[in-house]
Amino acid sequence: MTSSKEQITILGATGSIGINTLDVISRHPEKYQTFALTAHRNVDLLSEQCLQFKPRYAVITDESKAEQLKVTLASYNSNTQVLSATEDLSVVASHSDVDTVMAAIVGAAGLLPTLAAVEASKKVLLANKEALVMSGSIFMQAVKESGSTLLPIDSEHNAIFQSLPEHFVAQGIRSCGIENIVLTGSGGPFLNKPLDDFSSITQEEACAHPNWDMGRKISVDSATMMNKGLELIEACWMFDVKPSDIEVILHPQSIIHSMVRYKDGSVISQMGNPDMRTPIAHALAFPERVDAGVAPLDFMSISQLTFDKPCFKRFPCLKLAIDAMKAGGNMPATLNAANEIAVEAFLQEEIGFTQIAEVIQQTLSQTGYAEIADLRAVLAADLSARQLTTQIISEL
Ligand code: NAD
Ligand code: MG
């Protein structure tokens, strides 16, 4: 018998977004049922999640962990079927019994399953910004052609979405009296650190974000502000605007999550505590509203809301991303791949913090511009940027 509950696949269930998604789902068992949960390596957490949420499928893409997952689940008489091929991510994202897919794998690994969900006309909740950064127009074309509903999970994009008029999708935001989009960012842990000390920044310091508790890759991206750059690219594609339509401003308290400025002088923002369960619950229940377990925003305890301009000398990655989007073609995919390799090298202590931007900049300047006509071209740009960045790092 098909359940009347909304069937949900969570790609990247064991990550920070995946865990927060399950937390919201657990508050509404009458509404949501997990169809599939996926993870790369964290077999212990995936087992626990399967036993609690009883999905039809579990996918663990590190095949060496599949046996352990099967044995653990069997010992509890679980009915969850274990899959472990990379292609199985796309299978559980596009299965005909699935209504909604939370795309929360980190990095380029999320592209194909997220696209599979889009092409199968699912409601897609997009956390995996790298997928959209890499494939831009191809991704948005697939959304259009399939009629898939794309909803933003990134808190800034979710805030922008909430601050836009309802008819913006049909009319395009240019005909809605909008002046521009204000993309806010906290500035991360190094907003006030002396620039001379940047080269000695450690992995632990870079991963300790003042306001948000996130996976390690996005934490480093937040520290370099590449995250804001990726978000600017994500916003350009998602809302069909140009980099010049987006104003990036620093707002260290992370209470305002982004804003839309209208031609009549109005500025509409979305506010809330920095807790990803708010955008997750918003997108899951859209257009309804459900409890997310988030503490009410206490205005009396917020002493001030401050704003500042980002400095490209402090955050060169932000400038690299804006320029890559302006250049177009293969540049955003190249930027994204170079960043993934550079951040991983930093996390492995192979390069220093300031070398992340240097390595990405070198990769971009050594890559010739090329048009991106199809998915194959996206994957080719991604692969060649990975190879080039790896080579650049090995020669440092
Ligand atoms: P994370 O590192 O905590 O989790 C990543 C998830 O992806 C894990 O479940 C992991 O098993 C899975 N994964 C990693 N590599 C994989 C691979 N090669 N194949 C299949 N699965 C793989 O990351 P996160 O912080 O949850 O972020 C996930 C995505 O959401 C990122 O794109 C990030 O930019 C975006 N995002 C995160 C936050 C946040 O607060 N954490 C906020 C906004 C956007
Ligand atoms: Mg964000």
Side-chain angles (χ1 to χ4, degrees):
M1 197 186 77
T2 320
S3 158
S4 58
K5 295 180 190 178
E6 193 169 328
Q7 298 290 313
I8 301 176
T9 283
I10 304 180
L11 302 169
T14 54
S16 161
I17 293 289
I19 292 168
N20 278 308
T21 305
L22 286 170
D23 182 282
V24 174
I25 286 178
S26 71
R27 293 165 195 277
H28 306 283
E30 72 298 345
K31 269 177 142 25
Y32 306 115
Q33 165 70 45
T34 56
F35 177 84
L37 299 178
T38 88
H40 189 42
R41 284 206 188 102
N42 192 343
V43 64
D44 293 338
L45 182 55
L46 186 59
S47 312
E48 263 178 48
Q49 293 177 333
C50 288
L51 294 173
Q52 184 183 350
F53 291 94
K54 303 182 173 47
R56 200 187 303 176
Y57 295 104
V59 185
I60 183 127
T61 42
D62 180 340
E63 285 196 89
S64 67
K65 308 276 173 149
E67 197 49 38
Q68 188 188 337
L69 183 60
K70 279 183 195 162
V71 170
T72 307
L73 294 183
S75 70
Y76 287 92
N77 296 320
S78 158
N79 289 324
T80 300
Q81 281 185 53
V82 174
L83 307 171
S84 58
T86 305
E87 302 74 51
D88 290 325
L89 295 173
S90 297
V91 172
V92 298
S94 60
H95 193 286
S96 56
D97 289 349
V98 171
D99 302 300
T100 300
V101 175
M102 166 57 82
I105 288 175
V106 60
L111 175 63
L112 295 181
T114 305
L115 260 184
V118 167
E119 283 162 359
S121 317
K122 304 304 181 195
K123 179 165 125 187
V124 176
L125 316 185
L126 187 72
N128 180 206
K129 66 193 84 182
E130 298 91 345
L132 185 52
V133 167
M134 291 170 74
S135 64
S137 62
I138 286 149
F139 191 104
M140 294 312 291
Q141 188 62 28
V143 171
K144 233 186 215 167
E145 281 169 10
S146 67
S148 158
T149 303
L150 182 67
L151 292 166
I153 293 300
D154 224 325
S155 55
E156 296 78 1
H157 304 70
N158 188 271
I160 294 162
F161 181 82
Q162 293 197 48
S163 305
L164 285 167
E166 264 174 46
H167 51 278
F168 86 90
V169 177
Q171 296 188 356
I173 73 169
R174 279 169 216 291
S175 42
C176 294
I178 287 162
E179 186 64 37
N180 72 1
I181 287 174
V182 182
L183 182 67
T184 56
S186 68
F190 308 133
L191 183 56
N192 299 309
K193 192 177 179 76
L195 279 178
D196 287 347
D197 297 343
F198 266 45
S199 54
S200 60
I201 286 170
T202 66
Q203 288 64 30
E204 282 58 43
E205 287 169 336
C207 288
H209 196 281
N211 306 339
W212 300 96
D213 182 11
M214 310 179 285
R216 280 167 75 79
K217 191 257 176 187
I218 183 176
S219 296
V220 177
D221 285 350
S222 299
T224 61
M225 277 194 85
M226 176 59 90
N227 184 50
K228 211 49 55 188
L230 297 175
E231 288 182 356
L232 179 134
I233 300 174
E234 181 187 14
C236 285
W237 290 116
M238 195 171 262
F239 304 117
D240 191 19
V241 295
K242 298 196 186 73
S244 56
D245 295 320
I246 302 178
E247 183 185 345
V248 177
I249 64 169
L250 297 174
H251 166 48
Q253 296 82 17
S254 301
I255 296 296
I256 292 176
H257 297 303
S258 280
M259 308 184 248
V260 175
R261 213 189 266 279
Y262 288 82
K263 290 195 188 300
D264 62 4
S266 303
V267 178
I268 301 193
S269 73
Q270 184 261 358
M271 292 190 256
N273 284 318
D275 186 324
M276 287 307 292
R277 290 176 300 175
T278 294
I280 290 168
H282 170 266
L284 254 183
F286 182 80
E288 289 168 30
R289 298 271 179 174
V290 295
D291 172 35
V294 176
L297 184 58
D298 176 9
F299 286 100
M300 298 313 131
S301 69
I302 306 168
S303 56
Q304 53 180 359
L305 298 180
T306 60
F307 305 95
D308 208 343
K309 251 190 168 161
C311 160
F312 289 149
K313 204 165 165 221
R314 180 172 289 272
F315 300 115
C317 285
L318 175 59
K319 173 95 168 70
L320 292 173
I322 296 170
D323 289 348
M325 185 61 197
K326 284 183 182 161
N330 56 342
M331 289 299 144
T334 302
L335 171 99
N336 179 68
N339 181 56
E340 286 191 30
I341 297 289
V343 169
E344 186 54 29
F346 169 70
L347 287 171
Q348 298 300 325
E349 301 183 25
E350 290 162 18
I351 63 173
F353 185 78
T354 49
Q355 288 177 308
I356 297 174
E358 288 164 23
V359 162
I360 300 167
Q361 195 273 325
Q362 280 185 42
T363 305
L364 286 164
S365 64
Q366 290 177 36
T367 302
Y369 174 87
E371 297 283 342
I372 293 283
D374 53 22
L375 186 61
R376 261 168 63 149
V378 172
L379 298 176
D382 176 73
L383 181 63
S384 63
R386 280 167 199 276
Q387 289 167 342
L388 180 55
T389 313
T390 306
Q391 188 197 327
I392 290 169
I393 290 172
S394 72
E395 289 166 2
L396 284 174

